[in-house]
Amino acid sequence: MQRDSVEAALAKIDRSKPFRQSERMRRFLRFVVEKVLDGDSEALKEYTVGMAVFDRPADFDPRIDSIVRVEARRLRRKLNEYYETDGKSDFVRIHLQEGTYAPTFLTGMAPALPAPAKPDPNAPHIIIGDAYQLLLEGRHFANRMTPAHLRRSIECFQRAIHLDPNFAAAYAAVGGSILQLALFGNISPSVVMTDAGLMIYRALKLNPDLAAGHLWRGFLNAVLQWNWEEAEVDYERALELNPSLVQARLYYAATVMNPQGRFLEARAHLGAAALLDPASVMLSAATGMTEYFSGDHEAALGHYRRAIELNSSFYGAHRLMAYALLSLGRGEDALVALEQAEPLAGGDPRLLAAQGYVHGRLGHVEQATRILDSLVALSADSYVSAYDRALIHLGLGQHDEACRLLVEATAEHEPWLIMLRVDPIFEPLRGLPQYLDLVGRILPPEKK
């Protein structure tokens, strides 16, 4: 086929609706097309594409970093969309078949695609019995969902790794517990991000088809790195590998769907998870958050109460309950819920910040200011998130200072920032340019 014909077809694709707002897709397609036109199809390997198109470093490992495969799937979808719309009548077609990065050039209608070949399974790893027992013990502690229990779970998982250095599931479990520690207020998320990322990398290096590895990489991408497309691909891959993985459904709903207001999808995953594990504490909490963010605060309260019934030490549910009570105009009950959590929280600054926020909303300026001052003093010796201080300023009606601190919290990779668009507590900020800029930096554009 004449080069001019292909280049004209490529130029038309570049200008089309599916492609004109996606510079990365245009760059990817142009690179692979030009390589084939130059007679260099053999160079179109995953490693080469990753470096040339996606600016990956020389030590890029395609087995661990799935960027090229992810974007190739997107490119194929966009090409299909183009040929179903703007390019329906195109005589010259650019076709990118599954399993290759070298396009072919066709005239007339595109042929049906063959089913993709399935990869050969990896040789099984024989797990040492004592290491597996430690994995189960660690999961028991992790399910209690307090900082103390998460740290105990990490100890168990690390002992399992000491017994069996090739135990991929144990590395993933360490990464998961470290990541969940970031949800509390007494550890820096930026430290968590580095440590957890290393554990997840090791897990997937040992077993690229480990569902839990993809689950926790999805969590990392969504909650701390705000890489939304990559997060969604990892969660989908985790569920493809293990459809019964409750945590994958739970955190997919909680960390990708809820922040984007995709509540119907979130409820579908949470409902499926409830059939698999109706006694999951985090499932009750996540379901409560879905109801709270979507405006059903009474329903949210029921789920938070259920979480506390299942695990009386899970003080995070008290904090969530306080916000729902406040939204229902029950501010004094919100303070009671937070006071009940105090003996369990061990001075967690996140719980103190919630108390300061509620006091501020209720007009208790002196109490809110006193808590704020205590957090500032505490930050001289230990970690206190700028997000938590921002909440108290928000409760006091000091919106500019709240926005300033929320911006500061982005440098810390504060996980709760992903709820900026849907959490009712941020309603007073929603007309401010600083808030809109912040949302644009963290979350993907809203779908119309």
Side-chain angles (χ1 to χ4, degrees):
M1 188 176 296
Q2 292 292 319
R3 184 181 187 113
D4 288 351
S5 300
V6 175
E7 288 180 343
L10 181 60
K12 187 169 183 281
I13 291 171
D14 279 353
R15 296 191 301 270
S16 69
K17 184 177 179 181
F19 281 84
R20 63 174 171 253
Q21 293 182 330
S22 180
E23 191 276 335
R24 185 149 74 170
M25 286 293 99
R26 296 198 305 274
R27 182 182 178 190
F28 191 177
L29 182 60
R30 183 163 293 278
F31 176 78
V32 297
V33 166
E34 289 179 350
K35 281 290 182 186
V36 172
L37 290 175
D38 291 341
D40 197 13
S41 300
E42 291 299 314
L44 290 173
K45 307 298 184 186
E46 194 168 348
Y47 176 81
T48 308
V49 174
M51 291 183 64
V53 177
F54 302 107
D55 303 316
R56 288 312 195 248
D59 62 354
F60 166 56
D61 186 344
R63 295 173 301 172
I64 306 303
D65 186 342
S66 60
I67 183 68
V68 179
R69 296 189 299 279
V70 169
E71 294 302 305
R73 283 195 290 270
R74 286 188 62 219
L75 178 56
R76 292 184 185 101
R77 286 199 301 269
K78 281 192 172 289
L79 282 170
N80 288 338
E81 180 186 350
Y82 169 75
Y83 287 120
E84 289 170 2
T85 55
D86 297 12
K88 188 180 294 186
S89 61
D90 286 10
F91 183 72
V92 175
R93 292 172 174 250
I94 299 172
H95 175 55
L96 188 63
Q97 185 171 317
E98 292 277 357
T100 180
Y101 301 113
T104 53
F105 310 123
L106 311 168
T107 56
M109 298 301 294
L113 299 181
K118 293 185 177 180
D120 294 330
N122 292 330
H125 168 62
I126 307 302
I127 301 167
I128 296 171
D130 288 346
Y132 187 71
Q133 182 62 35
L134 284 165
L135 178 72
L136 296 180
E137 289 179 23
R139 286 175 177 169
H140 167 75
F141 289 124
N143 288 337
R144 303 298 291 171
M145 202 55 192
T146 70
H149 285 108
L150 287 168
R151 288 189 175 93
R152 287 189 69 181
S153 76
I154 291 169
E155 291 173 7
C156 290
F157 299 143
Q158 288 176 332
R159 286 164 59 199
I161 291 168
H162 179 74
L163 289 175
D164 185 353
N166 293 320
F167 195 0
Y171 285 103
V174 173
S177 287
I178 294 173
L179 285 171
Q180 289 174 106
L181 279 172
L183 300 175
F184 299 89
N186 47 16
I187 185 169
S188 169
S190 58
V191 172
V192 162
M193 188 164 59
T194 301
D195 293 345
L198 178 60
M199 291 295 107
I200 295 164
Y201 176 88
R202 288 177 176 170
L204 290 171
K205 186 87 170 176
L206 288 166
N207 183 0
D209 291 331
L210 179 68
H214 289 280
L215 151 66
W216 294 120
R217 191 167 67 181
F219 186 104
L220 175 64
N221 272 319
V223 175
L224 296 179
Q225 296 181 331
W226 311 325
N227 295 328
W228 298 102
E229 289 182 359
E230 289 88 343
E232 197 141 359
V233 166
D234 267 315
Y235 281 129
E236 290 283 357
R237 179 60 176 153
L239 289 171
E240 179 186 339
L241 291 165
N242 183 359
S244 299
L245 187 57
V246 169
Q247 284 180 308
R249 294 192 180 277
L250 185 165
Y251 280 125
Y252 193 4
T255 70
V256 170
M257 294 170 182
N258 277 351
Q260 298 180 50
R262 293 159 52 185
F263 301 125
L264 288 176
E265 294 173 75
R267 288 190 183 99
H269 276 285
L270 294 169
L275 295 175
L276 296 165
D277 187 2
S280 166
V281 175
M282 280 305 296
L283 177 59
S284 292
T287 307
M289 284 189 284
T290 301
E291 300 306 329
Y292 170 69
F293 294 141
S294 63
D296 192 342
H297 301 145
E298 286 286 0
L301 281 178
H303 291 292
Y304 297 148
R305 291 191 183 104
R306 171 66 173 158
I308 293 168
E309 288 171 6
L310 291 167
N311 178 6
S312 59
S313 65
F314 177 40
Y315 66 87
H318 290 269
R319 183 176 65 87
L320 298 171
M321 182 184 290
Y323 294 141
L325 287 165
L326 189 62
S327 295
L328 290 166
R330 296 167 57 184
E332 295 299 330
D333 290 339
L335 287 175
V336 170
L338 293 169
E339 287 165 6
Q340 290 172 343
E342 278 189 70
L344 306 170
D348 185 345
R350 184 132 296 163
L351 188 72
L352 294 173
Q355 290 176 311
Y357 170 73
V358 174
H359 277 300
R361 284 281 305 276
L362 295 177
H364 304 162
V365 176
E366 183 179 343
Q367 294 95 320
T369 303
R370 185 166 60 245
I371 292 172
L372 179 59
D373 290 343
S374 71
L375 289 181
V376 172
L378 182 63
S379 67
D381 300 312
S382 57
Y383 177 76
V384 176
S385 174
Y387 175 90
D388 291 326
R389 288 177 282 138
L391 287 191
I392 302 178
H393 285 287
L394 181 58
L396 288 166
Q398 299 164 354
H399 298 161
D400 286 340
E401 182 62 10
C403 282
R404 186 191 70 78
L405 286 166
L406 289 172
V407 171
E408 186 178 317
T410 63
E412 302 168 352
H413 294 268
E414 168 56 49
W416 290 96
L417 287 171
I418 66 173
M419 303 305 179
L420 277 171
R421 185 179 285 155
V422 294
D423 195 329
I425 67 175
F426 297 112
E427 187 65 37
L429 305 181
R430 289 191 174 143
L432 299 179
Q434 310 97 295
Y435 166 84
L436 295 173
D437 178 66
L438 197 59
V439 170
R441 289 163 59 183
I442 295 167
L443 289 156
E446 287 189 88
K447 293 183 178 178
K448 303 298 184 185

